[in-house]
Amino acid sequence: MTNNKNSRESADLARRFKKSALLLALMANCHGVYAQEEQKAPENDLEVIEVRGIRASAAENLAIKRLSNATVDAITAEDIGKFPDKNVADSLQRVPGVIIQRDGGEGASVSIRGLSSDLTFTQLNGNFIASSPGEPSRSFSYALLPATMIQRVEVYKSSEARLDEGGIGGTVLLYSRKPLDMDKNSGIINFETSNSDITDKYEPQFSGIYSWKNDDEDFGVLVGYTKQDRTNRSQSSRINIMNKNYLYSEMKDNQMVEDGAQGYAAQSMVQEVLNEERNRTGIQFTTQWRPTSNLELGFNYFNFKLGQDSILNQLEYPEWNNNDNFWTDVRVDEESQFVTGIDYSVGASGTQAVSPIPRINGEYTIEESSSDTYDFYAKYEGDNYNVKLVLGHTEAEGGPSQKYRAAYYANESSLYYGYDFSDGRMTTYMDPSMISNLAAGIGGEPDVTATDSSFVTGTQEEDYGQIDFDYFVDYGVIETLHFGAKYRKGKIHRDTRNSFYLSPDFDIAKGEAEGTIDLDDDYSKNGGIPDIADLIYSDSLGNLSDVINTNLFPAVNWHKYQDHLNENFVHYTRIEPNYVYSVEEEITAAYMQADYRFSQVRGNFGVRVVRTKTTTGSSDKITYRLDWKDDNGNELPIDQQRVEDFVFIEKESTETKVLPSFNIVWDIDDNWVLRGAASQTMARPGYDDLGQFQTLTYTSNEYSTDRSSADNFDAIIDGEGWTGSGGNNQLAPFESTQFDMSLEYYYGAGSGFGIALFKKDVDNFVVPLIIDVTRSAPDISFNLPNAGDEQVNVSGDNFAVRDFSTVANGTNASSEGAEFFIQHFFDNGFGLYANYTRNNTNQANVELDGEKVGESPLIGSSKYQMNLSVFYEDDLFSVRASYNKRGPTVQGYNASWEMNYYNEAYDQVDVNASYNLTDALVLSASVINLTQSDTYMHLGDDTKNRFIQNAYSGRRFYAGATYRF
């Protein structure tokens, strides 16, 4: 065995140095790179290369890509605690085929090769990290993770049997630092300040890493801490609801235009400014111990917290007054059947009435998300085998602890207003005297029905255990056999809560005991809403970007509103017994993988078998709308109009999948590499799609008849029979058969280029739709005392539900395309790296219960993406400018229009610079979104004229200093 081991180690070292010779050469030529003799192998004197700077990091990234047996891209830290961007997701956007979704201007989630972020599987040190920002999601929240703790990121675009399933788009592996890999008593201290053009606030940030190990270098401890305070100010103009409810005709000067165009109008529009205070902290504690030369034990603890207290200011324009009692002009784009503007004016022709619009809305939220992860590992290296055991637990919780929403009508404070869509943006205008009128007590009545205080919280947790074996063999072309098993048991829970503000003399204990505390006890229903005249800002909301075009933005001081509530009422949070759902998954997986090599050909093949047992439970709401008016035509009280009931339903399903994979690499010569890969992969549907509770509403003939005379009668909602919405716990997991091929050329010091082709055939992707279905509920009978004691009998077995809003599996979808990358270092210190990805997706079938009900492209797919970074670096100074562009991207589906939403192409420029004041002290500065780019969304791909949203989160500046020791 010893001879086999020595032979294997010698061969392995030979292969490593053969394949990495180019890497060592280019590192030797990189500025700021030095070699340090850190550890001595028992039989060979090896030098560990510590890389520093942009050139060295880019060279290491390219070397990892070249030496991999799969299709892999990598990002490595330029220095200890120094990642290329402020956020790991921001760095990932520079990887070919990767698109990021931003939240508050910083990267929050990652999509790979045209598939949604829910299909990107992210792990930290090989295991899942729970993150629950209120509404549970499978998509990892990168906003929770401090970049300073990450040493390296690898993006697997082709699968291997040893990788956990879940990444149809791709798998992102994050690696943190370990103390035995670092110098004794080494680390960094970083201080930084940031500022944004739409907040104009300077905010501190701190991060530090300290690593220690003993003189024998067999025991070490690493601790890391990050604290970041950041104010985000996101601004947006958007259409809230866009359905085909009513066809409007063109109108000018209060007169219908003969043979004028017709189109559909937005049902609700808002202009909004979200001020969000983000407080992020991160803690890492890692230990390593090697009690013998063969055995290593380790422990990791990570704690992440993200506070997101926020205030939302909105101007809302609902369609309540879309009739000739209020408007004077209606503008329509005939080709797109889209109403592009409406003017409203009081008394323009002597008939127009006072409108309550625009409505001044506000939302106040106190929120925090947290994530804790513990894992223990033991690794043993035998003569011709390795074995590793990992046990861990991860948990997260998140969502608001307080939240309320309030609103005031404009009424007489504004005698006219209007809106217009042109040049890809929304323009609004209103009476310039509106603010002074509100301050004088003219108009501004509170909307008691808009004081919503409902919010969602969620928890997520998982226990896991894994054992992996590596056997180093000499079976002809087979070099290593990998096999192992993993057990995961995870669950999420989602509930709804309400923030009530109660009178100080309210008996909360009694109300809780009786279960009677509800909205009727809230301040808003008992005359407690303060007058807007005492709260309105004296000036229009300022520092607005181009995405909010308005002559006036009246806003309430919501801090002052909150002070009023705190001084006069008692805050109480009610956890709703209903509107909840949970999903529990028990996952058992086993795999076997073989690494092979023959002459210049290498790679791996294997199979992974996965069994998933899913249990979903939800509190389904059933509403029976029985009668609306009494015999005299008077509207009945709500409790006499309808009856509500909740039924908790739990369902279980089991799926077993066999997932083969194959990777092949041909090292044609010292420069050329040809790759190929084929695999089957899977991913589980989103928690919300699986578990979301159902709401079913029955409308009696009596109720429908009474409602038919109302101005706002809706034939779909108010017609006799059943309507509803809800999740679909029968959703099948996503499945994909995918192929990759690439040709790469490596030349010079850290330079190379390549082209890759890929194809993914995806089944069971999930899209929203509205469809007629059948459902069941308890049999029940009602007596209608206000309708001559009429009897209503509601059948409970397989009744028809019209216009049921749900999700369904799509089939026969494909995402295919090509990627190109180039990286080149010049001898004068300049360099560049660039990539371009082209992606095509088809119109795929959408099926429900085995029947085709529509078509949709793959949600999240983008036609193209490109990145270009140019840099200069010498011994003291480095600067980099990065350009990123994403093509039009498919978003959700509008069932009423039978069209998807599309984000228009987006580009952004970032600049980073640093100066080495001393060997240990580095000064740095960055500008994120130098170009002040904003996003634009429209409905349908036949035209860009159906405005849906544009948004801007600011240009941000950073300046700081890093001390390395």
Side-chain angles (χ1 to χ4, degrees):
M1 281 190 180
T2 303
N3 290 336
N4 288 340
K5 177 186 176 184
N6 291 339
S7 174
R8 173 176 55 79
E9 287 183 344
S10 299
D12 182 56
L13 288 170
R15 287 193 301 272
R16 286 170 55 195
F17 278 91
K18 179 178 179 181
K19 292 295 179 289
S20 59
L22 178 63
L23 171 62
L24 295 176
L26 64 90
M27 282 183 172
N29 287 283
C30 289
H31 294 285
V33 177
Y34 68 89
Q36 174 182 301
E37 186 175 270
E38 189 179 67
Q39 288 189 11
K40 298 273 185 157
E43 299 156 1
N44 301 276
D45 292 341
L46 302 179
E47 289 183 327
V48 175
I49 304 297
E50 180 178 348
V51 296
R52 289 183 178 175
I54 297 173
R55 292 168 65 89
S57 178
E60 185 178 3
N61 297 344
L62 200 63
I64 292 173
K65 181 182 183 73
R66 186 211 170 128
L67 298 177
S68 173
N69 277 351
T71 305
V72 178
D73 286 281
I75 306 169
T76 53
E78 294 169 12
D79 205 342
I80 300 174
K82 182 184 175 186
F83 225 68
D85 295 273
K86 301 303 174 185
N87 180 292
V88 175
D90 291 336
S91 293
L92 284 168
Q93 73 178 323
R94 313 199 193 289
V95 171
V98 173
I99 297 172
I100 70 170
Q101 292 75 45
R102 291 178 172 84
D103 180 14
E106 58 181 334
S109 58
V110 171
S111 302
I112 301 175
R113 286 182 168 176
L115 301 180
S116 88
S117 59
D118 277 355
L119 301 181
T120 299
F121 191 51
T122 300
Q123 294 183 310
L124 179 59
N125 296 327
N127 290 292
F128 172 73
I129 295 292
S131 61
S132 181
E135 197 79 59
S137 171
R138 294 193 191 275
S139 179
F140 179 77
S141 176
Y142 283 84
L144 200 63
L145 178 66
T148 53
M149 294 184 179
I150 301 303
Q151 178 186 24
R152 185 176 82 256
V153 180
E154 294 176 355
V155 180
Y156 276 78
K157 298 175 183 176
S158 67
S159 184
E160 294 186 2
R162 64 183 179 85
L163 297 176
D164 285 356
E165 70 290 342
I168 280 184
T171 299
V172 179
L173 301 181
L174 310 172
Y175 294 96
S176 62
R177 294 184 179 273
K178 294 183 178 180
L180 296 186
D181 296 332
M182 298 177 63
D183 289 338
K184 181 179 180 180
N185 294 322
S186 64
I188 63 108
I189 297 175
N190 172 265
F191 289 97
E192 200 166 45
T193 185
S194 71
N195 174 273
S196 172
D197 61 342
I198 55 175
T199 62
D200 200 27
K201 293 177 64 176
Y202 291 90
E203 297 167 306
Q205 302 185 8
F206 168 81
S207 61
I209 298 173
Y210 173 73
S211 182
W212 173 88
K213 58 186 175 183
N214 61 7
D215 293 336
D216 293 334
E217 299 190 352
D218 58 17
F219 180 77
V221 176
L222 181 147
V223 292
Y225 178 75
T226 296
K227 178 165 177 54
Q228 299 174 346
D229 295 327
R230 168 173 169 163
T231 300
N232 288 331
R233 193 167 187 256
S234 300
Q235 302 180 6
S236 173
S237 293
R238 62 184 171 86
I239 289 178
N240 236 359
I241 305 172
M242 187 68 221
N243 290 331
K244 285 186 172 182
N245 275 6
Y246 182 75
L247 198 61
Y248 296 85
S249 297
E250 192 174 1
M251 187 181 219
K252 185 173 179 61
D253 297 330
N254 207 31
Q255 299 295 321
M256 298 290 294
V257 176
E258 187 175 353
D259 298 324
Q262 291 186 316
Y264 298 95
Q267 292 173 254
S268 173
M269 301 172 296
V270 295
Q271 292 171 302
E272 60 188 17
V273 177
L274 174 65
N275 290 290
E276 184 183 52
E277 302 292 334
R278 288 196 175 183
N279 307 112
R280 178 190 289 113
T281 59
I283 298 172
Q284 176 187 359
F285 177 78
T286 298
T287 64
Q288 279 180 287
W289 180 35
R290 292 176 181 155
T292 71
S293 59
N294 299 92
L295 179 63
E296 178 180 317
L297 306 176
F299 174 79
N300 288 299
Y301 170 67
F302 297 94
N303 171 265
F304 308 127
K305 288 185 179 179
L306 178 63
Q308 292 177 275
D309 297 351
S310 64
I311 289 179
L312 177 67
N313 285 288
Q314 285 184 333
L315 293 180
E316 184 181 9
Y317 307 86
E319 66 164 357
W320 300 332
N321 304 134
N322 277 3
N323 60 67
D324 56 13
N325 289 328
F326 299 94
W327 62 34
T328 59
D329 294 83
V330 179
R331 296 173 291 278
V332 180
D333 180 84
E334 185 172 19
E335 182 181 359
S336 61
Q337 290 189 304
F338 184 72
V339 173
T340 59
I342 299 180
D343 291 336
Y344 307 78
S345 183
V346 175
S349 63
T351 59
Q352 279 72 25
V354 173
S355 170
I357 310 304
R359 191 171 72 167
I360 302 171
N361 299 340
E363 195 168 271
Y364 181 94
T365 305
I366 298 176
E367 181 173 357
E368 183 178 85
S369 300
S370 64
S371 175
D372 290 276
T373 298
Y374 314 79
D375 71 70
F376 165 82
Y377 72 87
K379 183 167 59 176
Y380 184 82
E381 298 181 0
D383 289 340
N384 63 344
Y385 68 92
N386 293 338
V387 60
K388 183 177 181 180
L389 173 69
V390 179
L391 301 173
H393 172 80
T394 181
E395 61 183 42
E397 61 180 348
S401 58
Q402 290 189 52
K403 184 176 182 178
Y404 68 79
R405 185 176 180 85
Y408 294 90
Y409 292 122
N411 288 332
E412 292 86 353
S413 67
S414 180
L415 298 182
Y416 72 87
Y417 75 96
Y419 69 86
D420 185 77
F421 299 113
S422 59
D423 300 324
R425 59 190 66 245
M426 172 180 166
T427 299
T428 63
Y429 34 88
M430 64 202 74
D431 191 332
S433 302
M434 183 175 176
I435 292 178
S436 58
N437 287 337
L438 290 170
I442 302 172
E445 288 75 17
D447 183 354
V448 177
T449 64
T451 52
D452 176 42
S453 64
S454 177
F455 58 89
V456 170
T457 67
T459 61
Q460 185 178 44
E461 64 178 292
E462 180 176 288
D463 296 307
Y464 53 87
Q466 178 169 349
I467 188 165
D468 300 279
F469 295 89
D470 303 323
Y471 276 91
F472 306 101
V473 298
D474 188 14
Y475 297 160
V477 299
I478 305 299
E479 291 186 325
T480 309
L481 293 177
H482 309 273
F483 60 91
K486 189 166 190 175
Y487 175 79
R488 300 163 54 191
K489 186 172 184 179
K491 60 181 179 181
I492 64 98
H493 176 81
R494 183 262 198 205
D495 65 33
T496 303
R497 306 184 182 197
N498 272 284
S499 286
F500 294 144
Y501 289 87
L502 308 175
S503 171
D505 58 6
F506 187 90
D507 191 338
I508 294 178
K510 179 182 178 183
E512 283 186 325
E514 297 175 351
T516 57
I517 302 177
D518 58 25
L519 186 59
D520 288 337
D521 302 310
D522 187 52
Y523 80 102
S524 61
K525 305 297 184 183
N526 294 280
I529 299 177
D531 292 336
I532 194 173
D534 299 327
L535 304 171
I536 191 75
Y537 282 115
S538 59
D539 296 314
S540 175
L541 208 61
N543 201 10
L544 301 176
S545 66
D546 290 342
V547 304
I548 296 185
N549 293 286
T550 183
N551 70 317
L552 205 65
F553 199 122
V556 165
N557 185 334
W558 297 106
H559 285 295
K560 199 171 180 180
Y561 191 106
Q562 180 67 16
D563 290 340
H564 167 81
L565 296 182
N566 290 336
E567 292 167 4
N568 295 282
F569 304 97
V570 176
H571 175 251
Y572 174 76
T573 299
R574 170 177 160 172
I575 302 176
E576 301 296 337
N578 302 300
Y579 308 106
V580 302
Y581 70 81
S582 61
V583 178
E584 182 175 297
E585 292 174 333
E586 190 173 1
I587 303 167
T588 307
Y591 73 90
M592 183 171 184
Q593 177 176 311
D595 297 346
Y596 64 87
R597 179 183 297 272
F598 177 73
S599 185
Q600 299 299 106
V601 176
R602 55 188 167 91
N604 58 63
F605 60 89
V607 65
R608 187 177 189 89
V609 181
V610 185
R611 180 182 181 273
T612 306
K613 179 181 176 182
T614 305
T615 304
T616 63
S618 64
S619 174
D620 294 347
K621 178 183 177 182
I622 304 175
T623 301
Y624 302 93
R625 301 202 299 178
L626 302 171
D627 203 356
W628 192 47
K629 292 183 177 181
D630 61 21
D631 292 336
N632 297 320
N634 300 313
E635 189 172 336
L636 294 168
I638 293 295
D639 60 352
Q640 295 182 36
Q641 290 183 17
R642 64 191 66 178
V643 175
E644 292 183 354
D645 191 16
F646 288 88
V647 180
F648 190 84
I649 299 176
E650 193 172 86
K651 294 187 178 180
E652 183 181 296
S653 63
T654 301
E655 292 271 1
T656 300
K657 298 294 180 184
V658 179
L659 308 172
S661 62
F662 175 75
N663 289 276
I664 186 169
V665 182
W666 179 21
D667 295 307
I668 301 173
D669 56 27
D670 288 342
N671 302 105
W672 288 95
V673 176
L674 179 66
R675 298 180 192 274
S679 64
Q680 288 185 333
T681 59
M682 66 162 285
R684 298 167 183 91
Y687 296 121
D688 189 57
D689 294 333
L690 276 173
Q692 181 66 263
F693 51 82
Q694 292 186 123
T695 59
L696 295 171
T697 301
Y698 173 78
T699 301
S700 72
N701 177 268
E702 179 69 23
Y703 188 98
S704 180
T705 300
D706 286 349
R707 286 282 298 154
S708 63
S709 61
D711 291 338
N712 59 350
F713 174 79
D714 187 308
I716 295 175
I717 297 174
D718 295 327
E720 182 182 3
W722 289 91
T723 57
S725 64
N728 182 355
N729 55 22
Q730 298 303 307
L731 288 173
F734 295 78
E735 297 179 44
S736 175
T737 302
Q738 47 199 53
F739 304 92
D740 295 84
M741 179 171 287
S742 64
L743 181 64
E744 301 153 13
Y745 180 66
Y746 299 90
Y747 64 94
S751 300
F753 66 83
I755 185 169
L757 304 176
F758 63 88
K759 180 177 175 62
K760 297 176 184 285
D761 293 321
V762 183
D763 276 343
N764 302 331
F765 69 98
V766 177
V767 293
L769 74 163
I770 299 176
I771 194 68
D772 294 341
V773 298
T774 59
R775 289 292 185 267
S776 297
D779 289 319
I780 194 167
S781 296
F782 298 98
N783 178 268
L784 307 184
N786 295 289
D789 289 331
E790 178 184 340
Q791 292 289 321
V792 175
N793 299 309
V794 184
S795 175
D797 293 325
N798 297 319
F799 50 78
V801 182
R802 64 176 180 274
D803 294 281
F804 188 84
S805 297
T806 187
V807 290
N809 288 123
T811 61
N812 302 320
S814 68
S815 174
E816 58 188 19
E819 295 174 353
F820 172 80
F821 82 89
I822 184 170
Q823 178 172 302
H824 184 78
F825 293 167
F826 298 94
D827 294 334
N828 58 3
F830 286 93
L832 66 86
Y833 42 96
N835 60 71
Y836 178 84
T837 302
R838 185 75 185 183
N839 186 68
N840 295 312
T841 63
N842 68 327
Q843 285 286 120
N845 294 337
V846 180
E847 296 185 354
L848 186 68
D849 298 331
E851 296 184 10
K852 179 179 175 180
V853 293
E855 292 184 347
S856 173
L858 285 168
I859 305 301
S861 60
S862 184
K863 291 184 177 179
Y864 64 87
Q865 178 215 345
M866 62 180 296
N867 300 281
L868 171 64
S869 292
V870 294
F871 63 87
Y872 172 79
E873 185 176 53
D874 60 26
D875 291 335
L876 296 177
F877 177 73
S878 71
V879 61
R880 173 179 52 208
S882 301
Y883 173 74
N884 171 262
K885 184 171 184 178
R886 180 201 64 216
T889 305
V890 181
Q891 298 298 332
Y893 184 70
N894 186 309
S896 179
W897 283 75
E898 296 182 349
M899 292 180 177
N900 285 86
Y901 297 105
Y902 288 82
N903 274 338
E904 192 50 33
Y906 177 88
D907 57 6
Q908 177 174 309
V909 173
D910 304 328
V911 179
N912 314 85
S914 66
Y915 180 76
N916 298 322
L917 196 62
T918 70
D919 288 342
L921 183 61
V922 180
L923 305 181
S924 61
S926 302
V927 183
I928 308 300
N929 194 12
L930 176 68
T931 48
Q932 296 180 292
S933 302
D934 60 71
T935 62
Y936 175 70
M937 181 187 291
H938 55 88
L939 177 61
D941 60 353
D942 58 324
T943 178
K944 299 178 183 178
N945 294 335
R946 297 187 197 97
F947 172 92
I948 296 298
Q949 181 183 34
N950 57 0
Y952 178 66
S953 295
R955 176 173 59 190
R956 186 164 287 274
F957 305 87
Y958 294 87
T962 300
Y963 179 72
R964 180 176 54 245
F965 58 91

